[in-house]
Amino acid sequence: MRASPKKKEEPEPYRAPGAHGVSLARGWLAACKPRERPPLSKFMAEHARSDDGARIRPFPFQADIADAFTDPETSQLSVRKSSRIGYSTILQCFVAWRIKFDPARTLIYQPTIDDAEKFSRDDLDPVLQWPVVRSVATFKPRHADNQIRAKRYKGGWIQIKGANSPKEFRRVTADDVFLEECDGYPWASKEEGDPARLAYKRNLTSPRRFSAAGSTPKVKGFSRIDLMFEQGSQEFRYVPCPHCGHVQQLVFGDGTGAGIRWAPKEHPTRAWYQCETGCEIDEAEKPWMDEQGEWRAHNPVAFPRHRSFHIWAAYSQHPGAAWLEIAREFMEVRKDPNLLRTFVNQVLGEAWAERGEAPEWQRLYDRREKAMLLGIPSAKAGLLIGAADVQRGGGGRIDMDIWAFGPNQRREFVERVEVFGSISDKATWKKLDQQVARTWTTEDGRAMRLARVAIDSGDGENTMEVYGWARRHPGFVMAVKGRHAIANNQLIGAPSWQDVTVNGRKLKKGVRLWNIGTSMAKLELFGDLEKERPVDGEDYPHGYVFLPDGTSDEWVKQLVAEELRIIRLRSGGFRREWHKVRDRNEALDNAVYARAVAFSLGVDRWRETDWQKARGEFALPGPPAQSVTKPMPDGRPAPAPQASEHTNPAKRASKPRKANPFTSNRR
């Protein structure tokens, strides 16, 4: 049977959707539309909150760094910074931005696990309570998704870890990896290598990986953030001068060119910035300069894949980073290398370069004092110290340098005395006896003798001859030996007796060996040699080293014949060692020994009255002064004073000595 054909249905006429249908369509289109992701700087200005709930307005230099976090073309970010810059605030805002607009798996590494817990409680938890974050995620207290070091939300999670434990780098894969204060990480995670590199391996398999590191640098040559900065775009902040329009970087300066200046010198009450063209820029102009500033890449090849920034406290508009505060802080720490290191790291945002690096010999040679003559101590000299170095090669030679010391830890080289002859020949040592018995006449006419002589006994070849000479001059000649360990924090240690009997008893008139902390002394010497000669009638800086006119270039080269090098160990750590850059370094060794002997005599604690006394203490003895007695009232001569047992040596000697029952045979 054949089926009858169906009638063709007529299409329904078009009907305009109602209000309900329009709203449904709009909702569907809005759901399909990509979510707008604002730059991080705009997000910070609208949603970021401080601890007291106030809005955070980023500074212009912060805005550019913040926008690099959300730039899709940037996969790595490195910020070499000082304190008072606000980098941690930028990182907190980016975490909130992630939760709101682009959920991801985030790892944040702190130097230690304790630091990780503090960061979670003090820095991260307040961010999670911002209204913009709570609009998409709720972090309930005492909930499995809200632990101290692990936070979970829809579409992503946050984990805070410590870089001091190897297990913190295992069994975890993330999209974002943030390194906080990476220069504070241990050098090696046991046998697994560098913690920073281990952390960056955690997001290698992510299709949208992003890595960022921000830290204050520490030691030059061993700073992770320094290395990352050099590998990146190397961007510096350039700002215009409000007076002449010249664009430049802000630098601390050395007082001769561009940089921060202040007045008065010792206790500043006013500070300004000296432009490269000579303009004086007031602190009030800083906001305008930052507003007109820009970041310039010195390594544009890495831009924009790896952007690296350098920023220091002079750009910050925080009250604690004012130019006057920076000047005051520098004046407080400039004389202490330990405190100065903190200033360089935390204020300048630069890695600390050990001042043990040898100064340029040509600069020292050119700065010799024209008013001082070789062989003549100055009027300020109050103490003469000799230091000798014994050389067996070349027929034998003893090089003795004479150093004079004065107030404010000033020291001046007087002259080099050379004694030639075989070291095993007694005649050579008799020549040295004649030299140490000499007198030196100062420029103001005083006659001075050596207070002490230090002689090096640590070469192992001339030890017995040195001990023999020191034994003949007890209390005057000090046999010394250098200890090169950097950890030795004593300039001179307690002596040890070298002469003992067969039974192990110390001889009363034996030789004492003094250990010298040469590393500490060299660091101090090279730091003092870096100090510049004052200008415009200013006083010489504390600890200045004076080199008289006539000092040879060979002697100056010997004075800076070593440099401090950092040796990397297999364990991942490092060791600092002194290495010779020239064959002869006798001047450096003698300078170190003379300084240690002067320190043992207490010159660092002498007051001005002590120096006034010392400037006459070592003069040549003259004839005994005649006692003057006044006549009696009736004209008769006064009777001679009666000698007491305290003033009469013969009477003192005749007094019987009381036996000690604990040490004599009368027990």
Side-chain angles (χ1 to χ4, degrees), residues 277-291:
T277 60
C279 306
E280 288 190 6
I281 305 174
D282 191 74
E283 180 86 27
E285 306 287 352
K286 186 194 293 188
W288 179 87
M289 296 168 64
D290 192 19
E291 198 73 42

Side-chain angles (χ1 to χ4, degrees), residues 197-513:
R197 290 188 174 273
L198 290 175
Y200 274 171
K201 297 293 183 182
R202 297 301 90 207
N203 65 351
L204 284 180
T205 58
S206 173
R208 51 173 187 157
R209 61 177 180 151
F210 177 72
S211 305
S215 178
T216 299
K218 287 190 175 181
V219 181
K220 192 174 184 62
F222 287 85
S223 171
R224 293 187 179 92
I225 198 63
D226 247 9
L227 178 61
M228 294 177 187
F229 175 80
E230 296 295 333
Q231 293 171 346
S233 56
Q234 302 177 22
E235 298 181 42
F236 293 87
R237 188 72 172 173
Y238 283 78
V239 294
C241 173
H243 304 292
C244 65
H246 178 67
V247 180
Q248 60 199 304
Q249 298 180 49
L250 295 185
V251 297
F252 182 71
D254 57 1
T256 58
I260 297 177
R261 304 288 183 86
W262 58 89
K265 191 70 175 178
E266 290 297 326
H267 303 285
T269 57
R270 173 179 172 264
W272 65 95
Y273 190 86
Q274 190 84 11
C275 173
E276 290 180 350
T277 60
C279 306
E280 288 190 6
I281 305 174
D282 191 74
E283 180 86 27
E285 306 287 352
K286 186 194 293 188
W288 179 87
M289 296 168 64
D290 192 19
E291 198 73 42
Q292 306 299 319
E294 62 180 1
W295 290 96
R296 294 184 180 179
H298 290 203
N299 183 28
V301 177
F303 183 91
R305 180 188 60 84
H306 181 185
R307 298 191 65 181
S308 59
F309 300 87
H310 171 78
I311 190 71
W312 68 289
Y315 292 91
S316 177
Q317 298 177 34
H318 288 295
W323 294 337
L324 180 58
E325 294 299 321
I326 294 175
R328 286 172 175 169
E329 187 172 348
F330 172 74
M331 293 303 295
E332 291 174 356
V333 305
R334 70 188 189 283
K335 295 181 180 179
D336 189 331
N338 228 8
L339 300 178
L340 187 60
R341 171 177 179 167
T342 304
F343 177 84
V344 171
N345 294 157
Q346 299 292 332
V347 178
L348 304 185
E350 299 175 358
W352 171 259
E354 291 289 354
R355 302 189 69 179
E357 297 178 358
E360 290 292 333
W361 74 268
Q362 186 67 49
R363 182 182 64 85
L364 297 176
Y365 183 77
D366 294 339
R367 79 164 198 183
R368 294 174 300 170
E369 301 293 330
K370 302 301 181 183
M372 298 176 62
L373 298 178
L374 198 66
I376 301 177
S378 71
K380 291 283 188 179
L383 183 71
L384 278 188
I385 300 293
D389 188 83
V390 182
Q391 302 292 329
R392 188 175 289 271
R397 185 183 73 255
I398 301 175
D399 296 324
M400 183 173 66
D401 289 336
I402 310 300
W403 283 86
F405 295 84
N408 295 326
Q409 292 188 12
R410 63 174 280 158
R411 47 179 152 170
E412 56 190 66
F413 173 64
V414 178
E415 68 171 324
R416 161 69 63 87
V417 175
E418 293 181 325
V419 175
F420 295 94
S422 174
I423 302 303
S424 58
D425 190 354
K426 293 183 178 180
T428 304
W429 295 97
K430 288 183 179 180
K431 295 178 185 178
L432 184 60
D433 288 338
Q434 297 173 359
Q435 294 296 330
V436 299
R438 282 177 50 196
T439 61
W440 284 261
T441 304
T442 64
E443 62 180 1
D444 58 346
R446 291 179 293 115
M448 297 185 67
R449 284 179 174 169
L450 295 175
R452 294 286 190 281
V453 175
I455 185 167
D456 187 10
S457 65
D459 62 351
E461 298 179 353
N462 309 306
T463 303
M464 299 312 298
E465 288 84 356
V466 169
Y467 283 172
W469 189 64
R471 193 179 294 112
R472 293 196 298 272
H473 303 279
F476 175 69
V477 174
M478 299 172 61
V480 298
K481 183 177 182 179
R483 298 294 184 184
H484 300 285
I486 296 291
N488 188 357
N489 57 1
Q490 284 185 318
L491 198 56
I492 185 169
S496 58
W497 293 93
Q498 300 302 302
D499 290 345
V500 295
T501 64
V502 177
N503 297 327
R505 296 182 62 183
K506 300 172 184 177
L507 296 179
K508 283 187 177 181
K509 295 185 179 180
V511 176
R512 290 184 293 177
L513 179 64

Side-chain angles (χ1 to χ4, degrees), residues 126-234:
V127 173
L128 302 182
Q129 303 306 317
W130 288 356
V132 66
V133 175
R134 298 186 66 179
S135 65
V136 294
T138 302
F139 295 89
K140 299 178 181 179
R142 299 181 181 179
H143 193 275
D145 291 342
N146 185 18
Q147 302 176 23
I148 295 180
R149 296 198 296 125
K151 317 287 183 181
R152 188 174 296 275
Y153 60 94
K154 187 177 181 180
W157 47 256
I158 305 168
Q159 293 187 27
I160 309 101
K161 294 180 174 290
N164 61 335
S165 175
K167 67 179 182 180
E168 301 286 272
F169 303 97
R170 300 174 187 151
R171 302 183 62 182
V172 60
T173 301
D175 302 311
D176 298 334
V177 175
F178 301 130
L179 307 184
E180 275 273 83
E181 296 298 335
C182 56
D183 270 23
Y185 293 1
W187 285 108
S189 182
K190 292 190 176 179
E191 297 179 357
E192 301 190 20
D194 181 25
R197 290 188 174 273
L198 290 175
Y200 274 171
K201 297 293 183 182
R202 297 301 90 207
N203 65 351
L204 284 180
T205 58
S206 173
R208 51 173 187 157
R209 61 177 180 151
F210 177 72
S211 305
S215 178
T216 299
K218 287 190 175 181
V219 181
K220 192 174 184 62
F222 287 85
S223 171
R224 293 187 179 92
I225 198 63
D226 247 9
L227 178 61
M228 294 177 187
F229 175 80
E230 296 295 333
Q231 293 171 346
S233 56
Q234 302 177 22

